[in-house]
């Protein structure tokens, strides 16, 4: 077995951590898909880059300064928001 291969137990463990329930067939499918993804990374890792210059050309790049701006039309800004509470966007709780 390749050291980068994902085992069924590892897929089950990650699913359990994510509180996801999958059938054995789905777990096997995910294992295959994850191993395919890792195989693609292995291909990238095997590419010979010895003749490629990897230095950064422009190290003095200027970034814009972050500035706080007030949005004039708050009604338009919030038109697609599902739930507002006291002028703030209310989002579903995801952490227990």
């Amino acid at each position: 077995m390749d050291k980068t291969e994902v085992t069924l137990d590892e897929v089950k463990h990650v699913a359990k951590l994510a509180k996801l329930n999958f059938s054995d067939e789905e777990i096997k499918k995910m294992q295959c898909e994850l191993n395919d993804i890792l195989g693609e990374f292995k291909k990238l890792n095997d590419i010979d880059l010895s003749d490629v210059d990897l230095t950064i050309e422009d190290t003095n790049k200027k970034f814009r300064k972050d500035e706080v701006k007030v949005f004039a039309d708050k009604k338009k800004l919030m038109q697609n928001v599902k739930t507002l509470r006291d002028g703030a966007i209310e989002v579903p709780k995801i952490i227990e």
Side-chain angles (χ1 to χ4, degrees):
M1 182 187 304
D2 189 350
K3 69 178 181 178
T4 59
E5 191 170 311
V6 177
T7 66
L8 285 173
D9 288 337
E10 289 171 328
V11 176
K12 289 177 184 178
H13 178 70
V14 172
K16 181 179 177 184
L17 291 174
K19 297 183 180 179
L20 300 172
N21 295 314
F22 297 108
S23 68
D24 288 341
E25 185 177 303
E26 290 172 317
I27 295 282
K28 288 177 187 174
K29 182 180 178 190
M30 280 187 233
Q31 179 195 22
C32 290
E33 290 175 355
L34 288 170
N35 284 325
D36 289 344
I37 292 168
L38 290 175
E40 293 301 316
F41 279 105
K42 185 172 180 351
K43 286 180 191 176
L44 291 174
N45 197 39
D46 292 340
I47 296 174
D48 180 18
L49 297 175
S50 60
D51 61 337
V52 178
D53 182 16
L54 299 176
T55 58
I56 298 173
E57 292 183 24
D58 185 8
T59 58
N60 296 320
K61 191 167 260 189
K62 302 284 188 224
F63 295 99
R64 69 170 171 78
K65 185 176 180 179
D66 287 338
E67 296 176 12
V68 176
K69 294 182 181 178
V70 177
F71 195 80
D73 190 357
K74 265 198 166 177
K75 185 176 181 179
K76 185 175 180 181
L77 178 67
M78 301 294 185
Q79 70 185 5
N80 293 323
V81 174
K82 289 185 179 182
T83 310
L84 278 174
R85 182 189 295 174
D86 299 325
I89 300 171
E90 185 176 358
V91 295
K93 181 179 176 181
I94 58 169
I95 300 175
E96 294 180 24

